[in-house]
Amino acid sequence: MLKKQIFQTHILNIAISLIGCFGINFLISSPAFSQTQSNSRTYITPSGNIINIVQPNNIKITSDGERVITPAGSVTSSTGFIINPDGSLTNSFGTIITPSGVIITSDRQRILTPVGGVNTKADYIINPDGSFSVPGGPTITSGGLIITNDGKRVITPSGSINSNVGFTTFPDGSIATPGGNIITPNGVIITPNGEIIGPGRQRRRS
């Protein structure tokens, strides 16, 4: 019995030592923030094309655990990051990084997305689907796309799409235009004929 207790105590001490050595780096390497983790979504365009898009995790964490890099920018923390129950990260100053890589500044005055920043005046609303609504301003999807406050333009890393009659937003964060374009949650544009448009292309109209 005594030998068993000594063995258990030894194992516990090793575990505590490992946590002390690796700290937040050990926590951040969990599957929720694996740099290789990805998921895919299948889209069917109005013309019947079936498109499968792989959506990589947008968050990269430096090996020292002191910097998080996302398409919206980078956030540093000399004391590491806290992983919140919803999968977001918080640094020592209170800056929040959502699981999709959107950054909320510590003063809650600005939301940073892959397509630019939006001033919030600390009164933004987080919707059930993870998107943000800014009173008097645009809607920011959970993945960081911006829908202008008149509801007639979606700004993505691939360019922007206009629609005078608005858009349809689906629970997975994708957006469809009346003209048949589909915008994936990370901003890839799929045209009705199946063309895939990545970041850096010119503006398309629906």
Side-chain angles (χ1 to χ4, degrees):
M1 183 66 179
L2 180 59
K3 288 184 178 180
K4 183 178 180 180
Q5 289 177 339
I6 293 173
F7 176 75
Q8 289 175 337
T9 301
H10 181 63
I11 293 297
L12 179 60
N13 288 336
I14 291 175
I16 293 173
S17 298
L18 286 173
I19 293 173
C21 289
F22 294 105
I24 194 67
N25 294 328
F26 175 79
L27 293 176
I28 286 180
S29 65
S30 64
F33 285 93
S34 170
Q35 295 183 27
T36 60
Q37 179 185 1
S38 65
N39 64 324
S40 63
R41 292 182 174 89
T42 299
Y43 300 91
I44 302 177
T45 68
S47 60
N49 291 283
I50 298 176
I51 308 293
N52 187 266
I53 299 282
V54 175
Q55 312 261 5
N57 190 312
N58 288 328
I59 295 178
K60 296 179 180 180
I61 301 169
T62 56
S63 59
D64 59 8
E66 294 183 356
R67 188 157 66 105
V68 173
I69 304 167
T70 85
S74 64
V75 177
T76 60
S77 177
S78 59
T79 57
F81 294 81
I82 295 172
I83 301 178
N84 303 307
D86 64 355
S88 62
L89 297 174
T90 304
N91 72 356
S92 55
F93 304 104
T95 303
I96 296 174
I97 307 163
T98 71
S100 61
V102 173
I103 299 170
I104 306 171
T105 58
S106 58
D107 59 8
R108 307 295 180 262
Q109 297 288 312
R110 194 163 173 80
I111 298 174
L112 306 178
T113 80
V115 293
V118 174
N119 294 328
T120 66
K121 299 181 181 178
D123 57 359
Y124 64 87
I125 299 167
I126 301 179
N127 302 307
D129 63 357
S131 62
F132 301 83
S133 295
V134 179
T139 296
I140 303 169
T141 68
S142 59
L145 310 182
I146 296 177
I147 304 174
T148 55
N149 58 345
D150 60 6
K152 295 182 178 180
R153 185 158 66 107
V154 177
I155 305 171
T156 83
S158 308
S160 62
I161 289 184
N162 296 339
S163 172
N164 289 328
V165 293
F167 302 89
T168 301
T169 302
F170 298 100
D172 70 346
S174 59
I175 301 170
T177 74
N181 292 298
I182 295 174
I183 307 169
T184 70
N186 65 349
V188 173
I189 299 171
I190 305 171
T191 67
N193 63 5
E195 179 188 3
I196 298 176
I197 302 173
R201 297 296 183 89
Q202 296 299 312
R203 176 182 302 179
R204 300 186 64 89
R205 293 181 181 272
S206 61

